[in-house]
Amino acid sequence: MSLDRSIEKLEERFEKYLSERGLRHSRPRELVVREFLKTSEHLSIEDLLKKVQRQDPKIGIATVYRAMNLLVEASLAVKREFATGSSAYEKMPTRHHDHLLCTGCGRIVEFHREAIERMQDEIASRYGFILDFHKMELYGRCKACRKSG
Amino acid sequence: MSLDRSIEKLEERFEKYLSERGLRHSRPRELVVREFLKTSEHLSIEDLLKKVQRQDPKIGIATVYRAMNLLVEASLAVKREFATGSSAYEKMPTRHHDHLLCTGCGRIVEFHREAIERMQDEIASRYGFILDFHKMELYGRCKACRKSG
DNA sequence: ATGGGTGCAAAGCGTTTGCAACCGG
DNA sequence: CCGGTTGCAAACGCTTTGCACCCAT
């Protein structure tokens, strides 16, 4: 399946989400959603705003926030808040993963380690908890950043 | 060593930190630091403010923030920001640990699993990173909260 | 008497919200 | 038309900061 086709499918899911609850289809919203869906990296609100403003400079930041909140409610996006203070949206991951972040250049690497996931469940149950979700972020410096300074 | 004695030692380290850089000793600061040090749990700014205001109602929230920032700089406290939006200070841990949090009652359990730490380093190095720190928080519901609601 | 510390209120910052104009179905 | 949507600006909640006054040293 082509990338465009997969974006189309996600857009359809979003339209369905909207129409099911009497929400409307609008040009600004469509621009935000499309720009978000066509970007594969983690996207900050500011970067997303810049992208949509290239197509329509009148679009305000509130519209971007509102569209992203809808996308999160529709389970098409997740919001990540990092320990560095920045936050970013990513497309709803098909498989769970955690993040490795470079404190130098901001690069974000996704990873998954089943053995860790199992240990987390085991730790939780040892204390009588049942886990809903977790947050695991590793912060360090990538090779390039260590070289450059 | 008694609890009081250990608090005294920490207070001494803080006084040393202050005098080494020409900072002063003051009553409001002392109240904040003492209340913080005598509490073993994770403490929010609001809760700490309430505690110190019981002893001196005139103390403002800015003083609490300033004192806690100093304590963090002095490596006597660490600030934790949780995915639930709340943040809390805890005494500088003698050994590294992560957190398990109940999304129902807010209870926080500290844990440490060496095997996970090792895998985190191993994952980082696989991507060419050297880790500075990490954040691992497990969110779920404790037994009591599952029963009650 | 210096110059750091305090309380207060204002400013910051990222995000949300109230509102009047706008527009989609 | 009705009621959701937009852009703007104001309001948020948490944290920091500017300032005049206070107080340690």
Side-chain angles (χ1 to χ4, degrees), chain A residues 93-141:
Chain A
T94 36
R95 353 146 188 54
H96 165 75
H97 60 253
D98 295 292
H99 297 91
L100 170 60
L101 299 92
C102 179
T103 52
C105 61
R107 185 155 74 97
I108 301 176
V109 175
E110 298 176 354
F111 69 89
H112 175 84
R113 186 62 122 264
E114 194 50 40
I116 294 182
E117 307 283 321
R118 279 198 305 270
M119 283 189 227
Q120 289 172 332
D121 283 334
E122 183 251 298
I123 289 163
S125 76
R126 171 163 312 191
Y127 291 101
F129 283 60
I130 291 181
L131 290 192
D132 295 327
F133 64 98
H134 72 247
K135 177 169 217 175
M136 174 164 59
E137 291 155 9
L138 312 183
Y139 294 86
R141 297 191 41 98

Side-chain angles (χ1 to χ4, degrees), chain A residues 50-130:
Chain A
K50 276 180 212 141
K51 279 169 184 280
V52 299
Q53 284 187 336
R54 261 177 238 139
Q55 277 150 272
D56 181 350
K58 292 192 310 306
I59 290 178
I61 200 168
T63 296
V64 179
Y65 273 111
R66 288 189 273 230
M68 290 315 299
N69 287 345
L70 280 173
L71 241 7
V72 170
E73 283 163 30
S75 300
L76 288 165
V78 287
K79 184 176 189 177
R80 306 281 187 187
E81 322 225 12
F82 299 115
T84 50
S86 63
S87 47
Y89 293 85
E90 71 176 76
K91 274 180 268 190
M92 174 59 75
T94 36
R95 353 146 188 54
H96 165 75
H97 60 253
D98 295 292
H99 297 91
L100 170 60
L101 299 92
C102 179
T103 52
C105 61
R107 185 155 74 97
I108 301 176
V109 175
E110 298 176 354
F111 69 89
H112 175 84
R113 186 62 122 264
E114 194 50 40
I116 294 182
E117 307 283 321
R118 279 198 305 270
M119 283 189 227
Q120 289 172 332
D121 283 334
E122 183 251 298
I123 289 163
S125 76
R126 171 163 312 191
Y127 291 101
F129 283 60
I130 291 181

Side-chain angles (χ1 to χ4, degrees), chain B:
Chain B
M1 186 165 62
S2 75
L3 182 63
D4 283 2
R5 184 69 193 98
S6 115
I7 290 175
E8 263 174 51
K9 281 184 73 172
L10 293 170
E11 279 192 72
E12 277 162 30
R13 275 177 58 193
F14 187 55
E15 312 247 313
K16 183 158 172 283
Y17 178 87
L18 293 179
S19 60
E20 272 169 359
R21 45 216 90 202
L23 302 177
R24 287 182 195 155
H25 183 270
S26 81
R27 181 74 184 144
R29 191 124 86 193
E30 183 184 312
L31 285 178
V32 175
V33 170
R34 190 158 294 166
E35 277 306 325
F36 170 71
L37 291 177
K38 71 155 56 143
T39 304
S40 52
E41 317 101 50
H42 296 72
L43 212 47
S44 68
I45 287 286
E46 285 300 334
D47 288 347
L48 186 48
L49 178 64
K50 275 180 215 144
K51 279 170 184 280
V52 299
Q53 284 188 335
R54 260 176 239 141
Q55 275 150 274
D56 181 350
K58 292 192 308 307
I59 291 177
I61 200 167
T63 296
V64 180
Y65 273 110
R66 287 188 274 231
M68 290 314 299
N69 287 345
L70 280 172
L71 240 7
V72 170
E73 284 163 30
S75 300
L76 288 165
V78 288
K79 184 177 189 177
R80 306 282 186 186
E81 323 225 10
F82 299 114
T84 50
S86 63
S87 47
Y89 294 86
E90 70 178 79
K91 274 180 267 191
M92 174 59 75
T94 37
R95 354 145 187 57
H96 165 75
H97 60 253
D98 296 291
H99 297 90
L100 170 60
L101 300 91
C102 179
T103 52
C105 61
R107 184 155 75 98
I108 301 175
V109 176
E110 298 176 353
F111 69 89
H112 176 82
R113 185 65 122 261
E114 195 50 39
I116 294 182
E117 307 282 321
R118 279 200 304 271
M119 284 190 229
Q120 290 172 333
D121 282 335
E122 184 249 298
I123 289 163
S125 76
R126 169 162 313 191
Y127 290 102
F129 282 60
I130 291 182
L131 289 192
D132 295 327
F133 63 97
H134 72 247
K135 178 169 218 174
M136 175 166 57
E137 292 155 8
L138 313 183
Y139 295 85
R141 299 193 38 102
C142 70
K143 202 173 280 183
C145 285
R146 288 206 305 283
K147 275 182 192 147
S148 68

